Amino acid sequence: MKPYQPDRSLPAKIARRMTRWSVAHPLPATPERTKICFTFDDFPKSAADTGAEILDEVGARGCFYACTGMVGTKNQTGELFDAHDLRRLAAAGHEIGAHTETHLDCARTGTAEVLADIDTNIARLAALGHTLPVTQFAWPYGETRASLKPKLTSRFMAARGVLPGANVQGSDLMQLSAYELDETESSIARAADAIEKAAASPALLFIFTHDVREKHSAWGTTPAHLRRLVRLARDTGAEIVTPSVALASIRAKEVA
């Protein structure tokens, strides 16, 4: 993961708040039964291996957002995915999502450049052998802007952000809320609390991390923590599915 510092100026903070309030594409309905999507950003091999195995243990599937500029490289999160990981995960029923080619800050980059970078991301996934439709996107660093979000409505079913919260009817499909699992114990507790609350109040929940290993990065978590949350989600009766499966079910409910 390349060094990065978000713009913390007052105008940037105001822009983030306005972006969150500007809904580009509302979620059409709240699911009758909670749906939880476990997702992995960039994505490290430990997510493709250990993360996927933990989901497989309970018959669940997740989404792996691929930053193609990182393919075959190594950074603080460990070794990153390769073409074999893409094929193996897709064959097992997991979902591959887009995450740009260069992991750029979309809030600081011109619209044309962002869209071209996403196009390159999709093209490289195809070149690496991923031939299934790519309908999900995650904003690098969670950064976007109000004028950019509508540009993705014709490209993706949904785009995930990083701000915490449960997604219900009216939530923005172009900046879905998510709970991050990082190096802090509080992030695990926050995600667990959200899962337990969703058992009584149905919602679409996203939980995301990066590497899954014992000596994880600041943006990753341990196998034990991830397994605990996956099993908690299962035990509450939630459906643990990919984002596309979750959203297709919600849309079917709206049509019915």
Side-chain angles (χ1 to χ4, degrees), residues 39-255:
T39 68
F40 306 87
D41 286 6
D42 294 345
F43 56 95
K45 275 186 170 290
S46 62
D49 295 335
T50 306
E53 288 172 4
I54 290 170
L55 290 170
D56 291 341
E57 288 171 1
V58 299
R61 299 294 180 264
C63 184
F64 297 77
Y65 295 101
C67 177
T68 41
M70 296 181 179
V71 63
T73 64
K74 185 176 182 179
N75 60 22
Q76 299 99 314
T77 65
E79 293 184 10
L80 279 294
F81 74 98
D82 57 28
H84 173 70
D85 296 318
L86 292 173
R87 292 191 296 269
R88 177 173 55 82
L89 289 168
H94 296 284
E95 183 163 22
I96 303 300
H99 198 43
T100 75
E101 164 70 10
T102 62
H103 210 276
L104 74 172
D105 181 334
C106 296
R108 299 188 199 180
T109 309
T111 297
E113 185 178 345
V114 170
L115 297 181
D117 197 87
I118 291 172
D119 286 343
T120 300
N121 186 201
I122 300 298
R124 286 204 67 197
L125 283 173
L128 289 165
H130 183 68
T131 57
L132 296 174
V134 178
T135 64
Q136 302 297 322
F137 179 77
W139 298 103
Y141 313 112
E143 295 287 349
T144 182
R145 58 181 188 277
S147 61
L148 179 59
K149 291 195 292 182
K151 303 294 184 182
L152 269 60
T153 57
S154 62
R155 292 168 179 256
F156 299 106
M157 184 184 294
R160 201 214 71 217
V162 300
L163 298 174
N167 300 289
V168 296
Q169 184 175 19
S171 295
D172 194 357
L173 283 167
M174 293 296 105
Q175 194 179 11
L176 289 167
S177 298
Y179 291 92
E180 181 176 13
L181 308 181
D182 58 26
E183 63 181 342
T184 64
E185 291 290 334
S186 61
S187 73
I188 309 303
R190 184 166 54 246
D193 182 63
I195 292 171
E196 290 172 342
K197 287 180 177 177
S201 183
L204 170 62
L205 294 185
F206 278 78
I207 296 172
F208 78 99
T209 192
H210 292 77
D211 49 315
V212 183
R213 50 188 179 154
E214 294 300 335
K215 295 183 179 180
H216 57 81
S217 72
W219 306 276
T221 193
T222 65
H225 280 150
L226 180 62
R227 182 173 285 109
R228 171 196 165 198
L229 293 172
V230 168
R231 292 183 175 181
L232 174 63
R234 176 202 60 188
D235 293 345
T236 64
E239 293 182 275
I240 308 174
V241 293
T242 66
S244 288
V245 168
L247 291 169
S249 175
I250 292 171
R251 287 178 171 177
K253 172 195 171 185
E254 178 198 23
V255 171

